[in-house]
Structure formats: C-alpha cells, structure tokens
Amino acid sequence: MLTRKCVLSAVIATIFMSASALADQQVIDQLSHLGVRVAVKDNLAAQHGVNCAALGADWGACYQATITLTNPGAALQSHDWAIWFSGIRQVLATGNDQFKITHIVGDLHKIEPTAAFRGFPSGGSVVLPVVNEYWQLSLTDVLPRWYVTSSQGTPKVITATVTEKLSDITTLPATQWKRTPDDANILMTAENRYMKNQATSPVSAAELRGRILPSPRRVDITADNVSLKQGIAADLRVLPADSARVITEEFRAAGLRTGGRFPVNTAIDPAGFTDEGVKEGAYRLRISQERAVITGYDSRGVFNGLQSLMQLIPPMGEPVIPVMSLSDAPRFAYRAVFIDVARNFHSKAAILRTLQQMSRYKLNILHLHLSDDEGWRIEIPGLPELTSVGAKRCHDLSETRCLLPQLGSGPDTSTTGSGYFSRQDYIEILRYARARQITVIPEIDMPAHARAAVIAMEARYKNLMAAGKVREANQYRLQEDGDDSRVTTVQFYDRTSFINPCLPSAQRFVRKIMNELIAMHREAGQPLETWHFGGDEAKNIYSGPGYTDKNHPQPGKGQRDLSLQDKPWAKSASCRQRIQQGEAGDFTQLPGWFALQVSQWAKSAGLKNMQAWQDGLKAIPSAGQFATETVALNFWDTLYWGGVNSASEWAEKGYRIIISSPDYLYLDMPYEVDPQEPGYYWATRFTDEQKIFTFSPDNLAMNAETSTDRDGKAFSATGQGSWPGAAGMSAQLWSEIVRTDEQMEYRLYPRLLAVAERAWHQADWELPGQQGQAFEKGKTRQVNQQQLQADWNRFATLLGRSVLPGLDTAGIRYRIPVAGARIRNGVLEANTSLPGIRIEYSVDEGQHWRNYQPQQPPAVAGKVLVRTRSPDGRRSGRVVSLQAG
C-alpha cells in the first residue's frame, strides 16, 4: 500500500510539474513576441542635471535612455519571468518601479518584475527609463538576441531582437552623436562626406600603369608591354613545394596557362643584395620582352616577387604587363594582422580567405587571439572541457555545460558566440599560412581575460571530484578555494576572469597548453617560435583614475564604495605566501612575475621569443629579465594620451615595439563619424583608409600634424631622441561586436590595404624622427602636404580601380565606401573616397536606379537617394538621402 501511495504521489507530482512547466513555457512563448526598442534620450546627462558622479559613472559621464517593451498579444500578468540582454554599458539607475535590472556578469543583464509590476497590457507598451554609464554614439552599442526565461520553461529569444540590422531595435536621434559638448568631430552627412571626398583627385590610367600595392622601393616602367596571352612557363623550384603550388594555382586563377611560352625565372641570391635590400622578403623583378626574372634575398623574397608580378596582370581583358624593373624590400620584418576569434568565433574559411589576401599584399604575421573571457577557441588534447564548456555559450546558470551568454549570443549554442578550431582545423590553418609564407602566432591571454579557461577547468574539477578523482580534479584547476577577492574587470567580469598565477596547477595548465600548441605547429611544419602571453588589463577597473571612494569623494569622479573592491588575488593564500617570500613585491606585480615565469617555461620548451600587450609588463624593469632571446610587445597606448613618450620608454627598457596603436590600427573602430557606421570608439571616432595611409609608425610624433584626438581636436607631440623606431606594425580586429564573418571582412577591407602599405613601404613624405621636434595639427607645417596628397590620390585610385575588383573575385565582403553627395541649384553632385567606384541615384524611393555620370550631373527634384556599387555590381554601399529644393 505504501508503495502504491508513493507511486501515486510521484505521478501527481510529475503531472503538476508538467503543468507548471507548460505554464512557464506559455509565458516565455508570449514574451518572445515582445517588441523591443532602446532609445537614447540624452548623451550629455551630466550637463543636464543628472548627478552621474554620485551614481558611480567613470569620470562622471552617463546618459539617459529608455527601454520600451511592446506586447502585441493578450495581456500578461505573470511575475514569473525574466528578460536577459547584453549591454556593454553599466546600468546605473532605473526609473520604473515595476522593474529591476540586475547586472549578472560581463555584459549580461536581467530585467525582472518587482512586486509593483502591473502586467504587460494587451497591445500596449511599458517604458523603463535607465541611466547608463558613458554614452551611446553608435547603433552597434546595442546588442541583439534578448531572451526570456521562466522557471522550468526553455529559454527563447525575443524574435524582434534576432537581427543584425540594429536600427530595428534602437533609436539614436541625429542630435545625440556627440560624446562631450565641445566634441569637435565632423558628423559625416552626405554633404560633409562630399566635401571631404573632394580633396581626393583621381589619377589617370597612365599614371597607374605598372603600379602595385604595397608600393615598391624603386620602380622603372618603360612604355613597352609584353603579352602573356600564350601563357607562362614558371620555374618555381627555388620555392618550397607548397608555396610553388600556391603560385601555380594563383596564376591559373588569374586566367593564365601555366604550361605556356613566356618564361618566369626565379633565383635566390642573398649575396646580390646590399644595404637596405639585405632583408628577409627582399626581391628584384625584371620584366623584358623575353622573360620575367625574380631574384629573391630568400624564398620569401621570391614569393613576394611573384605576388607583385601577379598584381600586374589585369583582372579583365588581355593579360598584358609592362616591361619594367623594380627593387623592393620590406620596411618591417613584422607585418601583422590580429584577429580576435574569442569574443565571437570566426570560421576557418574566413581565416583562410584572410591569409590569401595577406599573402597577396605581403602581410606576413597572423596573430590569432584564441582565448578570452568570452570563449576558448582551440582544441587541447586531454582537456576536452576547454571546448565542450569554454567554447560554448548558453543559458546555464551553473556554467557546467557552457559559459553564460555574452555579447548578444543568445541562450543557445547556435550563434558565433560558440565555436572552436579542432586540432586538425588549426593545423590546416598553419599549413595554409606556411604555404603563403605567413607565420601564425597564437595568443592565449593570461592571467586576466581568462574566464573561459577558468570556468572550463572548474567544470572539469567538479566532474572529477564527483567521480572521486581528487588528484586529477586539482591537476589543472585555475582558481583557489578561499579566494573570494572582489574584483571588477574592464569588461565587468569578477574574479573568475583571472587565472590564479600562484597555483602550481595553473602553472601546469600553462605548460600543458604551450606544449600542445608547440606540437601542433611542429606537425604542421611551422615550428612555433613566439609565445604570446597576452598579459593585458590584469586590474580592477574601479582602481582607475576615473573613480573615487564615495566616503571621501573627489570632484568629477564616479563615486564607488571602494571598501568593497579588492586587487586581483588579494585574498589568495597562495599569492599572499609568494609575496611574503619575496617572489613578487605586491599583488599588482603578480602579472609581471607570472610573465617572467612563463618566459622560463617558453625557453625550456625551445621557444625563442616572448610577446605580450605592453600593460602586462609594467612591473618589469627591463626586457633583459626575461628568459627568452627577445621580448616584443604590442604597443597600444593612444598617441594623444602620451603614447609618443611611453613608446620611447618601453624601447629604452629593451623591448621590441610592435606598433598596434588603437587610434590608428584598431579596425574594430568605425570608418567614419556616423552613428550608422559600426564599431567601438573609445580610442577614436573614426579610422578610414586615408587616416591609416597617413600614419607614420617610425615617427610617432609626426602624426600629431596629420590627425586629431578622439574628440576631433588637435594635440601636440614632441619627438623623442631615444626612440629607435618600430620593430613592426600590427592591425587589430577585436570582435566584441563583430559577430559574423561578413562583418569581420567589412571591418578589415579595404583598410587592411593601407596597413599593408605602411608596414611595407616608408613614404617619401614621412619625416625622420628628431629629438625635440614638435608637431601639432594647424600649428606646425613640417609635413609636405602636397606630396602626401599626391601619394594618397594614387593609392586611393589604385584601390578603387584595381584592388577592389580583385577582392570581388576573391569573394571578400569588403566595405563599399558610402557616397558623398550634395544638391546645388537643383543639380546632384556625388563622389566617393575611392575613385573608380560606381555611383547610382534614384528619384523614386529606390524603385529604379540610374548610373551617375559626373561629367553630366543630373537635375533632380524632391527626395533623392544615392548609393555606391561594387565593381562587380553585386553589392551596394549604404544608401544616403538628400532633399532637393
């Protein structure tokens, strides 16, 4: 009888739970149809009566916005629900007592009803006024894929937020584009863009004849041509077999028969190069009526020379190339593209396409950011949790199956928040790069920006402890019991963002990862020589200069209870012991101490070089303290915040400086000052092809004469005599808000071509650095602006007329420049930043488009739409609207 009662009770409970789960799912299903609209009301709230400092905003900067939720269905009174969303700005205050917003971790927030909640009315809307830290100047500040939960139901994305067209869910009034009242940037309206583009004059086809990118050091072009119509006979025996296959395939892709008549001879002759030509990758190319001869300083030089020859072949029409000669050598041995696949994953196919374009334009380092707080992206044998947990994001509050959603990834693993390279994927990438003479540098970021690894190893620890395997559980654990340090990172994570560097298990973890990556590189035939440690931002953001203790406030700073904030690892017994033993001076020196330990392991593993982001090495007096032969750092101080001086200081310490300046070389920044243009803007309001083209990486002070600071204002800089020049140059693509492969290519191209130009070629208008030489835009006149403009005109025309058609052929989804346009006296005038791009206009709301002919500008009336088209005609740029009369 007792058994029957138990069974009956269980059945009743199951029925009850099923009914409850069904009710929860009904709530979720209904709320998944909500309309969502985030609207900026005032980006200058501190100037209009809001006490942003008292709310805790960094430097007292905050903005007012509203979240409007519209219910298209039946009224809903349930209190058992939550709406989860990603917000890159901290919510400081809410203004509707029916709701509360809670910060969870990172950018994940939760909206819940309070006891005052009166329900979602049928067909009605509820509004949540909010005050957020900083400002919202771009549509891409709002992230997609908000989702709903309710107790036992399955989470579901709010349909309206499943979009990459963020204007669907956010409103940014035209008046709200300034960060400060005195922001001096110029908003890129159609008219302002037209005026800016007018400074670029296209060069003639004759002037472009025989021109390639990046520019060679010396070139001599004759008036004669040679036809390759009968094909080529290329002798590629001096190249490695895989590189020879690549060249053969590319000749064929260019439409040339490779068993033809015109000889292409290659040779390696390092003794034949002198002075500045004595460099890896240097080459000479001689084209006569009889043959082409490429002589390389090494095999990389031969490969580069063949890529230059390839560029001379017209993309369409008869394959005719000039009779010419050129001598060429790279400016920097380190010419890098950095791609973050951790924040959002980017596919192997996209990485391979990037490598293909890098080789064409002589970029030779791919720096892959394989781990961060939001994801671990490389399979490691023996540690499956790194990818089974750390490479996935989903709604699992225990984080034993996956990481919590971040950056708009939504509640399941179907988006680019999830993904990783298998061991074989990575080896394939390495082999593909090797064949194209490109070195891959993997970065495993530590001790900060490591949450994906920390959470994955915690899941491993819990599983093995449950199985009674205590020793194995502790073998690679990255956190310490008892360390409850209260830390807030730059991206608003907690102490789980940090590997504890003092744990023997953490040290075993690093050596394990290092050895596995070394093995992959060895198997791929590209031995690993550089260990990139990461090392950046191992700090508590509230210890920064923009915050103050609310009990002893300083004017203008965000007031926080700093008694509730600790330094990283402040409550770690292991770290306290190491400090007491004198291994590290204090808690702030632990990241540097850890970097030195890692360099010892790198040396023991046979690695020659160590590399890091410069702020991770602050506590180390000189590069000589590292065990490896050399130490390079990615230098990412903005120049207008003292970067010119700090670069010299790092060089004086013996570091090889890889210029990675965010105000010029972070390609996640917008192309232009326009809220519709995607990108972060903490370092600069815009970075376009021309700004990168005018960047001087060897004379950092000079840039003060050719550009402005983040607010569009002039800044001054003075040359430092101790500055030896850069060791290399790197363009960065961080992927917090770069969710798709298409968005990745939009950010990279065509800006990457300007990066290639400056990393390979030092222009005549670049000035040598001189101690004490001062520069400031509008005040000094030391840069030859006429020479600079003529060089840009050539480069821009070459991009528009020759390079972009090649990117079309390669399937690259580059950004098509937005048209500039104005209407004067009823006549439409239009232009683009890259001459040669086709322009179209419409006078009937886009139903029909006509080609714009600058020689015969059309008379127009009423509303006019203008757009650009890719050379292959398959894609269009963003449409701009004008009103005539």
Side-chain angles (χ1 to χ4, degrees):
M1 189 67 159
L2 183 60
T3 302
R4 292 171 116 189
K5 285 183 178 180
C6 290
V7 171
L8 182 60
S9 297
V11 170
I12 293 172
T14 300
I15 293 172
F16 178 79
M17 289 176 64
S18 298
S20 176
L22 180 61
D24 293 339
Q25 197 61 50
Q26 289 175 339
V27 170
I28 290 172
D29 290 346
Q30 184 170 350
L31 290 181
S32 72
H33 296 293
L34 286 175
V36 174
R37 174 66 58 174
V38 179
V40 174
K41 297 301 180 182
D42 185 4
N43 265 322
L44 305 175
Q47 282 74 40
H48 301 139
V50 178
N51 194 341
C52 300
L55 293 174
D58 190 13
W59 290 113
C62 69
Y63 70 99
Q64 294 177 300
T66 58
I67 300 172
T68 301
L69 303 173
T70 302
N71 177 21
L76 189 145
Q77 300 296 324
S78 170
H79 282 62
D80 185 12
W81 57 266
I83 295 173
W84 305 72
F85 69 96
S86 290
I88 61 174
R89 306 292 187 226
Q90 286 276 64
V91 178
L92 304 175
T94 58
N96 186 329
D97 66 356
Q98 296 185 73
F99 305 92
K100 67 175 181 178
I101 299 179
T102 306
H103 172 248
I104 307 302
V105 68
D107 66 26
L108 185 62
H109 295 73
K110 177 172 65 170
I111 302 173
E112 295 174 286
T114 66
F117 179 59
R118 295 186 293 276
F120 289 107
S122 175
S125 299
V126 293
V127 179
L128 285 75
V130 294
V131 178
N132 292 347
E133 194 172 28
Y134 300 118
W135 37 74
Q136 180 191 329
L137 306 181
S138 170
L139 296 180
T140 52
D141 287 348
V142 174
L143 301 178
R145 296 182 187 86
W146 298 35
Y147 66 95
V148 188
T149 61
S150 178
S151 296
Q152 300 178 61
T154 301
K156 199 168 185 178
V157 179
I158 297 176
T159 304
T161 68
V162 184
T163 180
E164 291 299 333
K165 183 183 176 184
L166 295 173
S167 58
D168 291 343
I169 57 174
T170 188
T171 300
L172 185 56
T175 58
Q176 295 297 318
W177 66 274
K178 289 191 174 187
R179 191 183 65 84
T180 62
D182 60 346
D183 190 325
N185 284 292
I186 299 174
L187 180 67
M188 281 295 107
T189 62
E191 293 82 1
N192 288 342
R193 193 178 296 112
Y194 178 86
M195 296 302 295
K196 181 181 179 182
N197 292 344
Q198 271 197 315
T200 300
S201 301
V203 303
S204 67
E207 292 178 88
L208 291 183
R209 181 173 171 271
R211 300 295 179 178
I212 60 172
L213 295 181
S215 301
R217 287 194 175 195
R218 288 179 292 276
V219 60
D220 180 19
I221 305 171
T222 74
D224 297 325
N225 291 325
V226 57
S227 174
L228 303 182
K229 190 174 182 180
Q230 301 301 317
I232 61 169
D235 180 0
L236 305 177
R237 288 174 293 177
V238 300
L239 287 178
D242 53 355
S243 295
R245 284 193 295 271
V246 167
I247 293 297
T248 300
E249 291 167 3
E250 291 187 353
F251 273 130
R252 289 171 180 166
L256 293 183
R257 187 161 57 89
T258 53
R261 297 182 180 179
F262 186 76
V264 177
N265 299 330
T266 60
I268 296 174
D269 179 23
F273 289 78
T274 58
D275 301 328
E276 293 181 346
V278 182
K279 287 186 176 181
E280 287 187 2
Y283 68 94
R284 294 191 299 271
L285 170 61
R286 304 285 186 267
I287 302 173
S288 66
Q289 295 286 358
E290 293 75 30
R291 64 179 52 81
V293 178
I294 297 168
T295 305
Y297 177 79
D298 52 12
S299 65
R300 287 188 175 185
V302 172
F303 188 88
N304 288 333
L306 287 161
Q307 291 291 347
S308 295
L309 176 61
M310 209 92 61
Q311 277 196 57
L312 294 171
I313 302 168
M316 295 177 289
E318 185 178 351
V320 173
I321 60 176
V323 172
M324 61 183 295
S325 64
L326 61 85
S327 299
D328 206 1
R331 175 185 201 165
F332 298 128
Y334 188 108
R335 307 178 301 280
V337 179
F338 163 98
I339 298 179
D340 168 14
V341 295
R343 269 58 179 272
N344 278 293
F345 185 64
H346 299 297
S347 71
K348 179 177 69 177
I351 298 299
L352 298 183
R353 286 197 301 273
T354 303
L355 287 165
Q356 183 183 36
Q357 296 306 313
M358 287 175 63
S359 71
R360 175 58 55 91
Y361 298 104
K362 305 182 179 71
L363 293 161
N364 68 336
I365 305 287
L366 176 63
H367 174 177
L368 279 179
H369 188 71
L370 293 170
S371 71
D372 213 296
D373 293 316
E374 299 86 356
W376 180 280
R377 306 303 186 186
I378 180 71
E379 178 186 15
I380 300 296
L383 296 178
E385 295 84 1
L386 285 172
T387 47
S388 65
V389 176
K392 296 178 181 178
R393 299 207 288 259
C394 69
H395 186 75
D396 171 20
L397 297 179
S398 72
E399 292 192 295
T400 55
R401 294 185 293 109
C402 58
L403 306 176
L404 280 170
Q406 299 289 321
L407 302 171
S409 58
D412 58 51
T413 62
S414 64
T415 69
T416 55
S418 300
Y420 66 93
F421 299 126
S422 70
R423 189 176 187 277
Q424 285 308 122
D425 285 337
Y426 186 67
I427 289 172
E428 182 181 341
I429 289 170
L430 293 176
R431 287 173 173 162
Y432 194 91
R434 182 194 65 186
R436 287 156 182 80
Q437 303 288 319
I438 295 170
T439 299
V440 177
I441 297 178
E443 179 190 339
I444 304 297
D445 209 349
M446 59 181 70
H449 288 287
R451 190 172 190 273
V454 170
I455 297 300
M457 291 299 94
E458 282 299 288
R460 178 183 187 274
Y461 170 79
K462 292 172 185 176
N463 291 336
L464 290 172
M465 287 295 286
K469 299 179 180 180
V470 177
R471 186 188 66 81
E472 294 93 332
N474 286 284
Q475 187 177 10
Y476 295 114
R477 198 178 183 197
L478 303 179
Q479 284 198 308
E480 181 178 26
D481 287 334
D483 180 7
D484 58 354
S485 306
R486 297 165 296 185
V487 182
T488 305
T489 73
V490 175
Q491 278 82 35
F492 306 111
Y493 291 100
D494 56 21
R495 65 183 181 84
T496 59
S497 177
F498 299 93
I499 288 174
N500 186 321
C502 307
L503 297 176
S505 54
Q507 297 168 13
R508 279 192 296 271
F509 174 83
V510 176
R511 292 196 294 270
K512 165 72 172 173
I513 303 302
M514 186 182 292
N515 289 334
E516 292 295 345
L517 280 166
I518 288 171
M520 292 182 216
H521 277 255
R522 186 186 305 117
E523 185 173 333
Q526 188 183 93
L528 185 62
E529 295 186 347
T530 299
W531 184 256
H532 202 297
F533 167 78
D536 56 315
E537 298 184 321
K539 61 185 179 182
N540 188 330
I541 189 176
Y542 293 132
S543 64
Y547 297 98
T548 184
D549 192 332
K550 72 175 186 178
N551 298 311
H552 306 282
Q554 299 175 21
K557 296 184 177 184
Q559 298 171 22
R560 298 275 175 171
D561 187 349
L562 298 186
S563 69
L564 301 178
Q565 298 293 324
D566 300 313
K567 295 176 182 177
W569 315 292
K571 297 183 179 179
S572 161
S574 297
C575 289
R576 191 178 306 114
Q577 182 181 19
R578 292 188 183 273
I579 291 170
Q580 290 170 351
Q581 292 172 348
E583 295 183 45
D586 58 30
F587 290 103
T588 61
Q589 294 182 15
L590 285 170
W593 169 80
F594 190 43
L596 293 177
Q597 305 306 305
V598 173
S599 79
Q600 293 281 357
W601 308 330
K603 180 182 179 182
S604 298
L607 303 183
K608 297 179 180 178
N609 313 310
M610 183 86 166
Q611 194 164 328
W613 301 94
Q614 102 259 354
D615 57 310
L617 309 181
K618 285 180 179 178
I620 304 171
S622 75
Q625 293 187 249
F626 284 83
T628 52
E629 292 178 18
T630 64
V631 187
L633 55 83
N634 287 89
F635 176 77
W636 64 289
D637 282 351
T638 57
L639 298 190
Y640 56 84
W641 279 337
V644 173
N645 294 337
S646 60
S648 297
E649 292 166 2
W650 284 107
E652 287 173 0
K653 294 179 180 180
Y655 294 101
R656 297 177 66 249
I657 311 299
I658 308 301
I659 298 296
S660 310
S661 304
D663 33 345
Y664 300 88
L665 297 173
Y666 273 30
L667 303 188
D668 53 310
M669 302 287 153
Y671 277 88
E672 62 178 15
V673 183
D674 184 343
Q676 295 187 74
E677 191 65 45
Y680 275 178
Y681 44 83
W682 64 266
T684 180
R685 289 300 299 274
F686 81 97
T687 295
D688 61 8
E689 302 90 344
Q690 186 171 8
K691 181 178 175 181
I692 297 171
F693 181 84
T694 62
F695 179 59
S696 174
D698 268 330
N699 185 349
L700 296 176
M702 183 188 128
N703 296 290
E705 190 173 304
T706 57
S707 62
T708 61
D709 68 8
R710 179 176 67 175
D711 291 333
K713 300 175 183 177
F715 68 98
S716 61
T718 302
Q720 303 297 304
S722 57
W723 171 241
M729 183 170 159
S730 176
Q732 282 61 237
L733 181 65
W734 298 97
S735 291
E736 288 97 332
I737 55 172
V738 182
R739 287 176 289 276
T740 68
D741 290 349
E742 182 174 346
Q743 290 171 358
M744 171 185 134
E745 293 183 340
Y746 180 100
R747 303 300 210 285
L748 286 175
Y749 305 100
R751 290 188 288 199
L752 198 57
L753 283 303
V755 174
E757 176 76 1
R758 285 286 72 81
W760 180 274
H761 177 74
Q762 184 166 7
D764 293 339
W765 45 263
E766 290 187 70
L767 301 173
Q770 291 183 357
Q771 184 175 11
Q773 189 175 26
F775 296 88
E776 184 174 346
K777 191 176 181 68
K779 289 188 177 181
T780 58
R781 298 285 188 275
Q782 298 174 90
V783 179
N784 188 328
Q785 293 292 337
Q786 185 176 359
Q787 192 178 33
L788 170 57
Q789 185 64 50
D791 199 17
W792 164 251
N793 291 342
R794 174 198 56 79
F795 181 86
T797 309
L798 194 58
L799 274 186
R801 292 181 177 165
S802 298
V803 175
L804 296 191
L807 295 181
D808 281 339
T809 301
I812 301 295
R813 306 280 285 185
Y814 59 87
R815 177 186 186 264
I816 304 168
V818 182
R822 68 179 182 183
I823 298 173
R824 287 206 310 176
N825 301 321
V827 175
L828 174 66
E829 299 176 343
N831 59 18
T832 75
S833 60
L834 302 180
I837 298 295
R838 183 165 45 131
I839 301 174
E840 298 177 333
Y841 70 99
S842 172
V843 293
D844 57 5
E845 295 285 353
Q847 295 183 50
H848 302 89
W849 291 90
R850 307 173 188 176
N851 285 332
Y852 175 80
Q853 302 293 340
Q855 298 82 6
Q856 296 179 317
V860 293
K863 184 178 180 180
V864 182
L865 303 180
V866 183
R867 71 181 185 187
T868 47
R869 296 288 286 178
S870 61
D872 65 1
R874 296 180 179 178
R875 297 188 300 126
S876 62
R878 192 166 68 241
V879 175
V880 298
S881 175
L882 300 93
Q883 188 71 35

